[in-house]
Amino acid sequence: MSKEEMFKELSDAVISCKKDTVTAAVEKAKGQGLEPAEIIEKGLATGMNEVGILFERGKLFLPHVMMAAGAMEAGVAILEADMPKDAAKKKLAVIVNGTVEGDVHDIGKSIVSTMLQSAGFEVHDIGRDVPLQDFIDKAKETSATMIGLSALMTTTMQGQKDVIEMLKEQGMRDNVKIMIGGAPATQAWADKIGADCYAENASEAVVKAKELLV
Ligand code: HCB
């Protein structure tokens, strides 16, 4: 089976909303030597985006989206176990990562945390629907030099801007770099709110976070 066919099988498995189908497809992809990052981004995440489109068009309903999300999480969990932890190695930087207040979407944010961690960052994932001040408090507590802010809804992306404003008010803006991500975020939005970088996906988040170290 070609890589493209395998990606399609992974994507279709998520659209099927069936956990067993997803985990079987992930095991098969692993067996064929595909990297965890490409299994997630080119396979599972493509399927999840398609689920979003079908939901928008009224072809799938919320329970289906929840089942597809659970199935994708089960697939990602298999891959997370294979990713290097490098606990003994010196950490590149400390990052606080979470999904902003009012927003429960956390699949993408968690993938970003895992990939940053396996790339050598010390990641403090503070979860989803996180009160905005908690990002700042956690950064102080852990001496983090980066904060990752995920928002999946147009109604919650304002939280990304608010954290930046709160950092300025609290005299902390120069101490931490801000990375933003999530489906409605763009480079233009990052520029507008004064974020240090925007990452479209987890691989890009690793590249951009490393660039911020320089
Ligand atoms: Co949800 N939902 N949802 N949802 N949902 C979206 C986001 C809509 C776009 C669907 C639609 O209408 N087309 C929409 C938002 C519309 C808007 O903008 N206003 C929407 C809605 C409306 C809602 C509810 C309000 C529905 C309702 O209750 N009526 C509700 C929200 C409640 C709330 O938050 N207060 C809701 C609930 C749900 C769940 C629970 C069923 C489920 C989430 C489960 C979970 O996360 N644990 C869900 C899902 C799964 C989606 C869609 C279908 C997929 C999101 C996803 O997981 N994508 C989504 C449609 C879409 O986004 N196209 C839909 C896959 C991951 C891998 O991609 O973009 O999250 P990602 O992450 C990428 C990337 O963005 C980047 O890297 C990640 C990995 O590559 N990235 C970062 C993300 N965060 C980063 C942070 C960084 O620092 C750097 C990079």
Side-chain angles (χ1 to χ4, degrees):
M1 194 180 240
S2 74
K3 268 192 171 189
E4 293 314 314
E5 284 167 336
M6 199 60 246
F7 293 144
K8 171 96 170 53
E9 188 167 322
L10 288 157
S11 169
D12 286 347
V14 174
I15 298 166
S16 81
C17 307
K18 291 186 187 130
K19 209 174 264 188
D20 291 353
T21 311
V22 171
T23 52
V26 167
E27 293 291 2
K28 186 170 166 186
K30 266 177 60 176
Q32 293 200 359
L34 268 67
E35 290 297 322
E38 58 182 355
I39 294 177
I40 293 172
E41 280 169 8
K42 296 185 180 159
L44 303 177
T46 304
M48 204 64 230
N49 286 335
E50 188 58 32
V51 167
I53 293 165
L54 294 170
F55 173 65
E56 219 169 316
R57 292 184 184 154
K59 300 239 161 76
L60 282 183
F61 300 99
L62 202 56
H64 298 121
V65 180
M66 292 170 82
M67 282 163 65
M72 170 148 180
E73 280 169 340
V76 172
I78 295 174
L79 299 165
E80 276 175 353
D82 292 341
M83 289 189 186
K85 297 285 181 295
D86 280 345
K89 241 169 84 182
K90 189 179 174 297
K91 299 295 175 197
L92 291 175
V94 180
I95 304 186
V96 171
N97 195 35
T99 305
V100 300
E101 193 162 17
D103 199 325
V104 302
H105 297 89
D106 66 353
I107 298 175
K109 176 273 299 167
S110 300
I111 294 170
V112 170
S113 290
T114 303
M115 298 234 335
L116 284 170
Q117 215 165 340
S118 53
F121 290 86
E122 178 180 324
V123 182
H124 296 269
D125 187 325
I126 55 173
R128 60 187 184 178
D129 190 12
V130 177
L132 302 183
Q133 184 61 38
D134 286 9
F135 284 94
I136 300 174
D137 293 344
K138 193 69 184 178
K140 277 188 204 156
E141 181 197 319
T142 58
S143 304
T145 53
M146 287 186 211
I147 296 178
L149 300 165
S150 185
L152 264 288
M153 299 194 289
T154 48
T155 46
T156 53
M157 60 196 293
Q158 176 67 29
Q160 297 173 323
K161 180 172 189 283
D162 291 345
V163 171
I164 294 174
E165 294 308 318
M166 288 160 70
L167 283 166
K168 285 183 194 159
E169 282 160 20
Q170 295 172 37
M172 288 221 3
R173 183 64 187 98
D174 293 340
N175 305 356
V176 278
K177 303 280 188 194
I178 298 289
M179 172 156 66
I180 64 157
T186 58
Q187 184 59 53
W189 173 244
D191 294 341
K192 187 172 172 192
I193 66 175
D196 298 290
C197 78
Y198 157 69
E200 193 181 351
N201 55 45
S203 304
E204 203 173 291
V206 171
V207 172
K208 296 274 179 87
K210 284 184 176 168
E211 282 171 8
L212 289 178
L213 294 173
V214 185

